[in-house]
Amino acid sequence: MLETLNQTTFLHTVVAIGSFTIFTIGLVGVLSKKNLFKIFLSLSIVESSLFLFFIGSHFEVGKAAPIVADGIKLFDGHMVDPVPQAMILTTIVIGVAVLALSLTFVVNYYRLSGNIDIDKMDELGEVQ
Amino acid sequence: MFNFEITALGNMFFGLTVLVFVSLFFVPNKHRSVTLYSLLFASLACIFYASDLITLFIGWEIMGWSSYFLIAKTADKQTLQKYIVFNIGGAFTLLGAIILIYGACGSFVYSELDFSAVPSGQVTAITILLLLTLFVKSGIMPFHYWVVDSYSQSNDLFSAVLSAIISKTGVFAFILIFFQIITVQYLQTPILEVVAWLGVLTSIIATFKAINEDEAKRLLAYSSIAQVGYIVTILSIMGSLSLEAALYHTVIHTFVKLLLFINVAAIIYVSKQHRFSTLGGLLYKYPLNFILLVVGIISLAGMPPLGGFSSKFLIYTALLEEHKGLLLAAVLFSSASAFLYCYKLVYGIYLGQPTNPKTEAYPRIPLRFYVPQILGAVILITLGTIPGVIVPMFNGILGSVGFEPVLYRGVFVLGSDFASFNGGVVIGAFGLIFVLILLFFVRLKNRSVKPKDRLDISYCGEVPRADVNLHYGYGMGRELSRIGLIKMILSRSSHALWQRVSTLFGDLSGITQKLYTLSAQNMGLVIFAFFTILLYMGVK
Amino acid sequence: MQKGFVAYNNEQKSLEAETEGIKNSQTLIQKAMNWFSARSMFVVAYGTGCGAIEMPPVFTSRYDIERLGVVGVATPRQADIMIVSGYCSLKTLRRVIRTYEQMSEPKYVIALGSCTINGGMYWDSYNTIKKLEEYIGVDMYVAGCMPRPEALIEGFVKLQESIRNNTIQPGYVKYREDYAYYQANQEKLLGKETQPVYEEDYAGMNLS
Amino acid sequence: MSLVYFIAIPILASFLTPFYKNYLRFVSVLVNILLAGFAAFFYSRLPLNEFISLDSPLSIIFILDYVSFFFVSLFIGVMLFFSLYSIKEKNNTAVFVVTNIFTSGALGLILSADIFNIYIFFEIASISAYILTGLNRDKVAYSGAIKYMIVGAVASIFLLLGIMLMYLNLGYLTLSSIGAGFHTMDKGIQYLVLLSLFIGFGIKTEILPLNFWVADIYQATPTKIAALFSAVLSKAYLFVFFHILYTLKVDAPALLFLTAIGLLSFAVAELSALRSKDVKRIFAYSTLGQLGVLFLALSSANVVVVSGALFLILVHSISKLMLFFSLDLVEKKMHSTRVEAFAGFRSAFLFTIFAIGFLSLLGIPPFAGFIAKLTILKGFASMGAYGIVGAILAISLVEATYFFRLLSANQRSKKTAEIKVPLLQKIMLSLLALAILYLGLFPQGLLDFCTDAAQTLIQGVIHV
Amino acid sequence: MFIDLLIMLVMAYGFGFLYYGLYRNISARVHGRFGPSLAQSFYDSIKLFTKDTSTDFGWMFFAGPIIMASGAILTVLFIPYFNHGERLVGLSPYGNLIVVLYFMVLGPLGNALGVGSHGNPFGAMGITRGLTRLLGLEMPFYIAVVGLMIANESADIGTIMANQAETYNIIAHPLLFIAAFISFLGFLGKSPFDVVGAPQEVYSGPAVEFGGKFLALALSQSAIFSFAKLLLMVDLFLGGADSLWDLILKTFVLFVASVFVGNVYGRFTTAQSVDFLLKVPTVIAIVGLLFV
């Protein structure tokens, strides 16, 4: 019975369901939370769910991670496809950079306006 | 992109423009904006001599916004807004029509446009769009909303240009596109019947509005609307005599309005007063101005000895030949009552007792004001005596536009075989009789006695006090509103219509504006909602 | 006080004046013109005193003076004759003088009733004038404390006769020639400003 | 002499700032002049592909064909103008650090031809935009930046989703191969990919339902930066979106949907500008409107209309540059960009510049805007789409109303302050005005180039 | 040619005043009194001409009545007296019906300018009433004339008269005649529409400052003018005059009809008269126009 659990297709369905639930959790966080920190946090949750889905759906049971280390110079057959790994690596880096930048903005904004709640941000818009 | 071509039609209109601009060059003018005036002149030349629709449109637009900047120096915000929205709207309908023509005939150059293969639905669309442009430019009724304010609030020199030349560009476009490009056989007549009646209704309502007006320049603005309304009516009759009548009336109206506007400008320059209720009694202070104004109003009302009559005569004969009895009756109604506001103009400014006693303090009118007036007066008098002199020119235009020329019987006679009159005899007889009676009067031994002073009038034995305002003749025409039919005409106003349109757009923009002040979270909500909607539509 | 005129104007002398005409020096055309101007008279429709009630029957169908060519007109400019009907108070005198001066020559005045001749029953009143001819040139008097319409028509006929054969010197000529005399009388009575003014200063008026 | 220099040099210039801290202004001008030189160099060798392979499966492909050259030269020109224009401002050198990254991001977006590279430069450009928004370091700027980052993150999520779905089903990243293989996927996945790409790029190209955040961002950024946003940023995303769209050979109903969306967004943007009281927001709405028109024109897949659209992009960038920079001068003097302040300044030069800008945006003859609008309308007329022609004319009438309301407000109200325009600014702005006038009178040269560019855009990426 | 014109003028002057004297006599008889002699108008005019002085308010006041008189005289000269066209044709070959209609408006303009120049407010009131009433009068008359012109395919009075050889227009176009006759009453200034010069209300309206020779000229031009209008009505609707006797008969019949109507009605105010004129006769004329 355990054999069936070890197939790639089963792995892909688990990954898909898992990332979809994380996606919805993050989405609910973004849309309902009022605190700015929590919004940006749930945004990064949503991103990470995408990464998880992308990597997970490219992984095959029984293959090794495409890491070039001591001794192995080339990506050969029994390694998983390296391209998505590289893409997600850069995207994670970008995600972190964006998160850092947004949090600095939130801190500065809080220091200046003393307000963290997104609905009370009324500086912009048509001044009647 | 710019290509020009000298045509007879272009020559006539350009000739008028040159005459008006050269004569107006002399008038003293506070806002000396030479660049804008030269730009306007160039755009007018571009319109009249264009040989393809794009050059015509370029000239049209430049004229629109260069006159906007000329008006912007003196008019207030609402007038400017009304002016530019209507004119740009008119220009965009013209652009729409040009694009439609391009879609139908595949080119912009006049000579290559032939409408034989074009489906009639498209021709009707083109006609309606062009008629809208014409209505806005010549101020036909629902679209005249901007005319009166812009004419009266722009500076005096420019309101003369506006009323003399710029209102004629609509007429030029009508003749050019309907007669020369689309040519008569492809045009559907029912639309033009409606246009004729719209032109007449405009002139009737404008005439009675003019009679009710207390400000000199607004009165002249309404009268321009009325006169251009005649031209539009006659043009839409689509006959060769009616085209000649329209061209004749265009020439006459240009010089009449040039004369009248500059005359009123001279008075405003000297007395700083605009309204009849504060003017009056300037007859013996500015006699030359008065005589020129009388010449102006005689031809504005279309009275026999002067030029105005020849164009009115042609309009009546054209309508009579086409057996358009009811239309002619309406035209007669408005031209008969036109006489009222002509007299109001003369009485309000020159005749009657002066309202403010210190009219002696008014300075002398600078001589430069008289150049355009004398030009206008001379032309009107010559057209009165020898009305046939410009008929060959019109025949040239008629030929170039594809109509057979009108009967030309020498310089003095004007009209067709239906009815014609001899201008020379008419003015000669008038002059001769006037001189004879004058001689008889002077020969009488009846000694004429000068009254003691201004107030020595027979006033039931009383002496009117100096501060009593005796000039209440300026309010003439107000009693017309007691007459049922005229009260109904005067109650028409397009103000409410355009006000509703602008508030509609205002509220609409209020709603859309709220959309643009969403917070980031609501923005996220909108994005995901949009995503799910499209997803659902895709799945279905 | 200019002696000559007052003496001349007593009642008897004027009654006999009819026969002694001024030497007739007009030419034929002058005669014809006088004949025409006699045939057509325009009267200023202007009632000053109690006699004004006599005029309507004269002008309308009861006595119909129009057969003689006499028509009422509104303004003094168009008129030839002015009828001063009855007493003439000082305020009315101002209007009478102004209207008289606005009429075009030849102009005549018919004075109705005794009040214009010698003050009549108001002989000692403080605000009416006693002798009209001291202030404007009068041509024809119709005596009677308000003469009947027939008397008024008789006055018109007499006036037309005198115009036709030019028997007496018309009042307007006297007014024009002795204007200083008339003006002195008027100013003595009405003060400097003889024309109608609205700020009446009763103090300045002296009533002899 | 490879295309990488276009991206490498600006980034290098900004990272080496510590060495020439207070001469950064001159360095960035030099950098832009260098880039302009490169662009001139490459003009003669145009359709150019460059294939850089880092490791066997990972590679970067750059393409420089007519349409991308058009955008590259436009952006370099704008950035050169920006750096020259503010060469005198000693105090805020920070701007130039970020604008150089911004340039490399934008150029990268234009040049790169493989989907993941596009995502990376998408992020680079967005991050520099976030920083630029928060440049004023006050409450308003930070709130604008926060809003921008939230919406930007959502956009990158969707884009990422699109790229992953594509890679999951096709396996390769280069645009040309994706284009070839796109139609082999099954219908559902194709629709999902297109949808997520549309939402991802839609937010950035400010299309109707997705552009409600834009006006606030323009209000928050300093006016000069807003000029960059409207002249460079939104145009870059627009190009990339249509570049991908035409490579994927999208079918007709989708294009029709995009045309409808473009028309709607043009209408709504112009309408909401009618009642706006803040001049900067009015310019933002006008940019949204013009982007709506560009969207409408580019999605019509007709060479004449697309060439008109490209011409309009150039003209719109120049006019918006002119308008925003003169508004910046007004804001410096009047300390507010409300309509009352805008009505209060007295400066004949600035008034003429504003007038020329408005007239060319409205498409009124002697200026270049008219040529663009005329070509677009001519194209639609030859396609027989008269409805769209009528709609465009009607909506630009609404546009005329609020532009001229601004002009008459300034012309007829009591003047409170006199603005002396410094010489450099005066020369630069009149240079722009002359460019618009010149393009309006002699557009033929540029129009031919735009037609070739339109040709290549509609084919999409074909070889390599 | 000039003798013709002179004869036409003298005839107009003579008949005009004769008819005016007749009018005063008839209305007198209606009032129950004898009324003046027929020649009373001549006496009045000669008396006024030979008055010694008349006040003159400046050159425009001097020129006003002269323009008015020349307008009236021109109207007369442009209307042919007889319908066989070789004698007493005047200047009509050089002009047509439209010219004559517009000359009828030229007179009132001259009068208006003259009256306006002396500044007496009563004069201005009279002129305003005159012009407003003119507006009402012109409509029915012009529509009737338009109907005739369209029916006869020409605007020349001669041809219109010639076409009436067998049936007069009064029978051919009765509605047009009725409308034209009502406004003809107004043109003559007869009682329902004589609000212009009402002595009691507006101090004799326009003629308030006309004294001496000016009043004389005004009266004589109004006589010539009324004869011209009579003549026009005869030419248009009664087939023109074959001989002098026929001319006198037709004009007299028409004149008497207008006099009797005049004496019956009280006076309309300006607004009432224009209201009536724009309603009743204009509608009749338009209906007549439809049947042309």
Side-chain angles (χ1 to χ4, degrees), chain B residues 328-365:
Chain B
L328 180 55
V331 169
L332 282 172
F333 183 41
S334 85
S335 75
S337 33
F339 181 66
L340 259 169
Y341 69 71
C342 291
Y343 183 68
K344 179 167 187 164
L345 187 64
V346 168
Y347 185 84
I349 296 177
Y350 291 97
L351 303 175
Q353 299 282 357
T355 31
N356 52 4
K358 45 185 179 11
T359 47
E360 284 66 30
Y362 289 158
R364 220 169 47 79
I365 292 185

Side-chain angles (χ1 to χ4, degrees), chain D residues 141-202:
Chain D
Y142 283 130
S143 80
I146 288 168
K147 172 178 270 197
Y148 197 177
M149 298 195 76
I150 293 172
V151 174
V154 169
S156 56
I157 285 163
F158 275 103
L159 185 58
L160 209 56
L161 188 65
I163 294 171
M164 284 176 208
L165 284 174
M166 252 195 283
Y167 189 77
L168 210 62
N169 293 290
L170 289 174
Y172 12 74
L173 287 172
T174 53
L175 268 183
S176 48
S177 37
I178 289 176
F182 185 72
H183 286 282
T184 55
M185 295 198 297
D186 71 354
K187 275 283 171 261
I189 299 293
Q190 265 187 17
Y191 182 77
L192 199 61
V193 164
L194 274 181
L195 181 59
S196 44
L197 279 180
F198 168 65
I199 300 281
F201 278 107

Side-chain angles (χ1 to χ4, degrees), chain E residues 157-208:
Chain E
I157 303 176
T159 35
I160 293 178
M161 280 201 285
N163 296 355
Q164 293 175 37
E166 65 292 338
T167 59
Y168 289 159
N169 277 349
I170 189 168
I171 301 133
H173 310 284
L175 287 179
L176 293 184
F177 174 73
I178 295 166
F181 183 73
I182 294 174
S183 71
F184 165 70
L185 279 180
F187 275 123
L188 290 183
K190 286 296 176 291
S191 113
F193 307 107
D194 62 353
V195 75
V196 175
Q200 299 79 357
E201 290 158 33
V202 266
Y203 215 32
S204 81
V208 70

Side-chain angles (χ1 to χ4, degrees), chain D residues 299-377:
Chain D
S299 62
S300 67
N302 164 317
V303 175
V304 176
V305 177
V306 171
S307 72
L310 292 177
F311 195 91
L312 183 62
I313 286 173
L314 180 73
V315 166
H316 178 259
S317 303
I318 298 176
S319 345
K320 270 296 170 344
L321 219 59
M322 217 166 62
L323 289 179
F324 272 112
F325 282 154
S326 7
L327 184 65
D328 176 54
L329 287 173
V330 169
E331 191 183 10
K332 257 203 208 51
K333 182 74 180 176
M334 313 295 284
H335 308 302
S336 113
T337 58
R338 291 186 57 70
V339 173
E340 295 77 23
F342 181 83
F345 80 88
R346 172 206 305 282
S347 147
F349 175 74
L350 277 186
F351 180 75
T352 20
I353 292 291
F354 276 118
I356 292 174
F358 291 161
L359 290 177
S360 78
L361 277 179
L362 283 173
I364 290 186
F367 302 106
F370 168 66
I371 306 299
K373 177 180 275 194
L374 187 66
T375 6
I376 291 175
L377 292 180

Side-chain angles (χ1 to χ4, degrees), chain B residues 208 211 283-284 287 290-291 294 297-298 301-305 309 312-313 316-317 319-321 323-326 328-330 332-337 339-340 343 346-347 351-353 417-423 425-426 429-430 432-435 437-438 440-442 444-451 453-454 456-461 470 472-473 475-477 479-480 482-486, chain E residues 2 48-63 65-67 69-71 73-74 77-78 91 93-96 98-99 102-103 105-109 111-122 124-125 127-129 131-132 134-135 138-139 142-143 146 149-156 203 208-209 211-214 217 270-272 274-275 278-279 286 289-290:
Chain B
F208 283 109
I211 294 171
L283 165 62
Y284 294 113
F290 168 74
I291 292 171
V294 166
I297 60 155
I298 286 183
M303 310 282 272
F309 176 71
K312 276 278 168 62
F313 174 78
Y316 296 151
T317 20
L319 282 171
L320 281 170
E321 261 181 18
H323 289 288
K324 295 241 186 301
L326 279 179
L328 180 55
L332 282 172
F333 183 41
S334 85
S335 75
S337 33
F339 181 66
L340 259 169
Y343 183 68
V346 168
Y347 185 84
L351 303 175
Q353 299 282 357
D417 43 26
F418 186 94
S420 68
F421 78 100
N422 185 323
V425 166
V426 164
F430 179 76
L432 194 68
I433 291 168
F434 185 85
V435 164
I437 301 175
L438 192 66
F440 167 69
F441 235 44
V442 168
L444 273 177
K445 74 167 184 43
N446 193 321
R447 204 165 31 76
S448 55
V449 170
K450 280 276 167 279
D453 61 8
R454 179 170 70 85
D456 180 11
I457 49 175
S458 65
Y459 199 67
C460 314
L470 294 174
Y472 46 75
M476 76 174 61
E479 76 285 356
L480 277 185
R482 286 204 297 269
I483 297 162
L485 173 67
I486 297 169
Chain E
F2 284 102
L48 284 170
F49 269 123
T50 55
K51 272 192 93 73
D52 291 351
T53 65
S54 52
T55 44
D56 172 6
F57 287 81
W59 54 269
M60 189 59 225
F61 180 77
F62 196 86
I66 296 177
I67 299 173
S70 44
I73 292 167
L74 276 174
L77 296 183
F78 270 92
L91 298 169
Y94 300 103
N96 53 40
I98 301 173
V99 173
Y102 262 82
F103 272 139
V105 183
L106 188 62
L109 170 74
N111 183 14
L113 288 177
V115 163
S117 67
H118 59 57
N120 187 327
F122 291 114
M125 274 198 278
I127 287 298
T128 338
R129 288 178 171 209
L131 294 184
T132 339
L134 199 64
L135 162 68
E138 274 164 2
M139 269 322 291
Y142 282 177
I143 296 175
V146 159
M149 282 199 271
I150 289 181
N152 297 301
E153 281 301 322
S154 150
D156 178 42
Y203 215 32
V208 70
E209 292 293 342
K213 56 189 177 198
F214 304 112
L217 194 62
T270 335
Q272 269 171 343
V274 176
D275 204 18
L278 287 185
K279 283 204 181 66
I286 288 174
L289 191 64
L290 296 180

Side-chain angles (χ1 to χ4, degrees), chain E residues 77-88:
Chain E
L77 296 183
F78 270 92
I79 302 173
Y81 275 33
F82 299 112
N83 55 16
H84 37 67
E86 79 282 358
R87 291 276 301 136
L88 287 185

